[in-house]
Amino acid sequence: MEALLELLREEMRRPLTPEVRVRDFLKEIRRKNGEEIEVEGFLLLRQPPNAPRDAVYYLLSPLSPEELKKSRLRAYLVLWITEASSIGGSLHSGAYVRAKGVLDAYPYGNLRLLHVRELKEAPYENRWLRYEEYALSRGELEGLISDTIYANYETERAVIYALLSAPTVIGAGEWGEGVTFSAFKGERELSVLSLWEALKYLHSLIPEELKLRRDRWSEFEDDFLGLDFRFARPPVGLAYYVPHTRAMLKRPSPVPKWAEEYFRGKNAGFLSPRLVMKPEDETATLGEAPLVITEDVAYERNRELEELMPNIVATVMAARRRVGTLNLGEMEDYRYRFEAFLIRNRNEYGELFDALTLSGKVFNVGLRYRLGARLLGAMGRFEGKLRRGLISDLLGLYQEITDTWINELPDREKLRLLKEYERYIGNSRVAEIGVRIFEDLEATSIDGTVTREEFLKALIEAGFRREHAGETLEKLLREGYIYEPFPGKLKLVRW
């Protein structure tokens, strides 16, 4: 019975191979002459063999350049383009396009020909979304990663969230869909290096067009057609990067110079461990889940994962469509519980936690709040929908990360941070507490202002008596810590 169930599971997890794409493509183009069809594929700007001179002839392939090199089966459709054909945008060799027209036979050989009525660039994601039935379930995806990378629960989940990427969150900054999966050295350098090796293996399996690369061109030679092709990579909504050299793991942002704009704009998924634990590093401050690695990570080659990587990509594309844009202004429950998370950690860790929430530090409140909203979206993609219980999961992960950072930071780093914090706050204890609470509110506010009622409520929740809360508000106004640009609206004075 167990063997039968395993066979059924394997049948359900059919690999999305290049051969599957070729067979489906051939079904589409083997209709009767004169039929009108719409077909998508990669445009190859080379004339087919023996092309007549009555029009422009190009080729269309259902396979990417890298798949053409590896696949046992290949298929091409000849595109017949005249002045009457409508061409949308600037097309290049290797572009993923949609072609509409009427089928016919090509005069030479057994190729099919399409009299093109319309040719335009199509979203690259379409080539995966059309195979959504090959997407994996939540459990299958989790199982493949955990059977390949042997790490603690938080690290394995962070890898999955990085692959799924984060949706755009309105009100959370002008970032793309990329996620910064950052992991930092705890006691042992080998722990980070072992994670890096595992991530390099995972990255090696991702389709070439989904890897962030500086070079844009790829070449291929088809011996049967007697043609060689040169392709540019199609524009994709998400690509992935893993540092190629160990030296990069010591950089504040472990990417080459040409990739820094992608890194800061989150326009790619960066799986970037670090060999240095600095709360000011860009990798720490921009990481959705800045983990600290305290145990070695192991991995082993997983044949099933290698076969099903195209299915994982189809899963990612389907998840991106299912959980799209979020609005930070509509996430009130998340805001309230995030502020409770801050109060809880201030009560437990005191000024050291406060020091880590200053501008430019790993737990800077405004930045961490916005990054958390993005991570919440990635969790929603993994679960299939954005349910309320995910906020608990997110804050549980952040609590684990907070505890590890504070426990693993060297003593000299803690002393340095505390000295910085003392210079920032000054001597007034009442002002210190009030400003700290106000900063939290302002950081999680959509328009950058805080109402009097919000501030008073937060002071009372932090332990102030009601009358003392009102006195503290007036004191901060009087001494110039905050000001009132509009009636009832408060802002922090920036020194």
Side-chain angles (χ1 to χ4, degrees):
M1 189 64 180
E2 288 183 8
L4 179 60
L5 288 172
E6 183 59 31
L7 285 172
L8 286 172
R9 280 194 292 267
E10 289 180 3
E11 177 60 26
M12 291 173 66
R13 294 196 298 261
R14 293 174 297 154
L16 176 53
T17 63
E19 288 74 25
V20 169
R21 293 186 186 277
V22 169
R23 291 190 182 101
D24 287 352
F25 185 74
L26 289 173
K27 286 179 186 176
E28 289 183 89
I29 66 175
R30 279 178 177 164
R31 301 183 196 175
K32 293 179 181 179
N33 291 349
E35 280 196 51
E36 187 161 337
I37 68 165
E38 179 177 310
V39 64
E40 292 185 1
F42 289 90
L43 178 65
L44 311 178
L45 297 184
R46 287 298 305 271
Q47 288 196 350
N50 303 309
R53 297 189 177 183
D54 60 334
V56 173
Y57 291 82
Y58 289 135
L59 293 169
L60 189 74
S61 166
L63 301 183
S64 70
E66 296 305 319
E67 287 173 329
L68 283 171
K69 296 175 184 178
K70 300 173 184 176
S71 178
R72 295 181 295 103
L73 295 180
R74 295 174 194 149
Y76 300 100
L77 174 65
V78 177
L79 301 180
W80 184 80
I81 302 171
T82 67
E83 292 180 354
S85 304
S86 172
I87 307 298
S90 175
L91 301 177
H92 59 270
S93 188
Y96 189 74
V97 299
R98 179 184 300 122
K100 295 180 183 178
V102 177
L103 275 174
D104 202 348
Y106 186 61
Y108 304 96
N110 60 359
L111 291 170
R112 302 305 310 277
L113 178 142
L114 185 72
H115 294 271
V116 176
R117 290 183 178 172
E118 182 180 296
L119 180 67
K120 62 181 181 180
E121 199 162 9
Y124 169 80
E125 292 79 4
N126 283 7
R127 79 181 302 255
W128 301 99
L129 291 173
R130 67 174 299 180
Y131 289 100
E132 194 169 344
E133 70 271 19
Y134 283 81
L136 303 174
S137 69
R138 173 180 173 272
E140 287 171 333
L141 177 59
E142 188 174 27
L144 282 173
I145 296 300
S146 63
D147 288 345
T148 306
I149 299 176
Y150 305 116
N152 61 30
Y153 177 81
E154 290 78 18
T155 302
E156 288 182 6
R157 278 299 179 91
V159 171
I160 294 173
Y161 299 149
L163 289 174
L164 290 169
S165 72
T168 300
V169 181
I170 298 170
E174 299 297 321
W175 285 317
E177 280 197 49
V179 167
T180 305
F181 168 53
S182 50
F184 300 84
K185 181 181 79 70
E187 293 180 0
R188 286 166 46 82
E189 186 173 287
L190 286 177
S191 299
V192 172
L193 293 176
S194 63
L195 175 62
W196 176 51
E197 293 291 343
L199 293 173
K200 283 200 298 180
Y201 168 66
L202 188 64
H203 186 257
S204 72
L205 306 179
I206 293 173
E208 288 298 316
E209 63 266 24
L210 286 172
K211 294 178 182 177
L212 185 66
R213 301 272 293 272
R214 188 176 191 178
D215 59 306
R216 296 182 60 244
W217 295 97
S218 178
E219 295 181 352
F220 166 70
E221 186 171 338
D222 189 306
D223 295 330
F224 180 76
L225 290 180
L227 296 174
D228 60 329
F229 304 103
R230 194 165 190 246
F231 315 92
R233 298 175 187 276
V236 298
L238 179 67
Y240 300 92
Y241 176 86
V242 171
H244 298 300
T245 65
R246 178 172 170 172
M248 282 189 176
L249 304 187
K250 294 185 177 180
R251 295 184 181 181
S253 52
V255 295
K257 286 188 177 181
W258 63 265
E260 286 179 356
E261 60 180 298
Y262 294 92
F263 179 78
R264 295 191 180 107
K266 291 189 178 290
N267 292 315
F270 289 90
L271 312 178
S272 304
R274 289 276 287 117
L275 283 173
V276 181
M277 189 180 180
K278 291 288 252 185
E280 298 89 357
D281 278 5
E282 279 189 296
T283 319
T285 56
L286 287 178
E288 275 77 5
L291 302 168
V292 178
I293 303 297
T294 57
E295 299 175 356
D296 290 359
V297 174
Y299 84 96
E300 63 178 351
R301 294 180 63 90
N302 184 338
R303 182 181 174 187
E304 187 178 23
L305 176 72
E306 293 172 4
E307 289 179 344
L308 293 176
M309 180 53 75
N311 299 63
I312 291 177
V313 176
T315 306
V316 170
M317 297 301 178
R320 290 174 68 200
R321 182 171 66 174
R322 196 161 46 242
V323 178
T325 303
L326 303 178
N327 190 331
L328 192 60
E330 297 173 356
M331 302 168 73
E332 281 298 317
D333 191 36
Y334 167 57
R335 181 187 181 189
Y336 176 79
R337 293 176 67 181
F338 183 82
E339 289 167 358
F341 160 81
L342 295 174
I343 292 171
R344 185 168 63 251
N345 280 282
R346 287 203 166 99
N347 290 336
E348 182 172 354
Y349 293 117
E351 292 185 347
L352 182 55
F353 180 76
D354 285 327
L356 288 169
T357 65
L358 296 179
S359 177
K361 300 294 188 290
V362 61
F363 294 124
N364 172 254
V365 174
L367 195 56
R368 186 58 43 205
Y369 176 65
R370 300 197 301 274
L371 290 168
R374 293 168 54 80
L375 184 55
L376 200 58
M379 289 177 163
R381 287 179 171 180
F382 178 60
E383 296 288 340
K385 61 181 180 179
L386 196 64
R387 55 182 181 81
R388 289 188 66 185
L390 290 179
I391 300 175
S392 297
D393 296 343
L394 169 71
L395 296 178
L397 176 61
Y398 270 7
Q399 188 61 59
E400 182 75 24
I401 291 171
T402 303
D403 295 340
T404 314
W405 266 90
I406 288 177
N407 291 327
E408 293 292 328
L409 265 179
D411 289 340
R412 63 180 181 277
E413 281 291 306
K414 294 177 182 178
L415 288 172
R416 179 180 65 83
L417 289 168
L418 287 171
K419 286 180 180 178
E420 284 186 24
Y421 179 70
E422 288 170 4
R423 287 197 300 269
Y424 173 76
I425 289 298
N427 297 321
S428 172
R429 185 64 182 166
V430 171
E432 172 193 329
I433 297 171
V435 168
R436 193 175 67 195
I437 293 170
F438 191 92
E439 282 182 320
D440 291 348
L441 293 171
E442 188 183 58
T444 56
S445 167
I446 297 301
D447 63 359
T449 65
V450 178
T451 67
R452 281 177 169 263
E453 292 74 18
E454 283 178 324
F455 188 33
L456 288 171
K457 180 182 176 183
L459 288 170
I460 293 167
E461 288 178 350
F464 285 70
R465 292 195 301 273
R466 184 172 298 277
E467 61 274 15
H468 192 192
E471 291 172 5
T472 300
L473 189 157
E474 296 304 325
K475 176 183 174 66
L476 293 177
L477 282 168
R478 187 171 60 252
E479 296 185 1
Y481 289 95
I482 60 176
Y483 68 105
E484 194 170 15
F486 308 103
K489 295 279 192 176
L490 306 172
K491 284 183 72 71
L492 188 71
V493 174
R494 303 295 177 186
W495 299 94

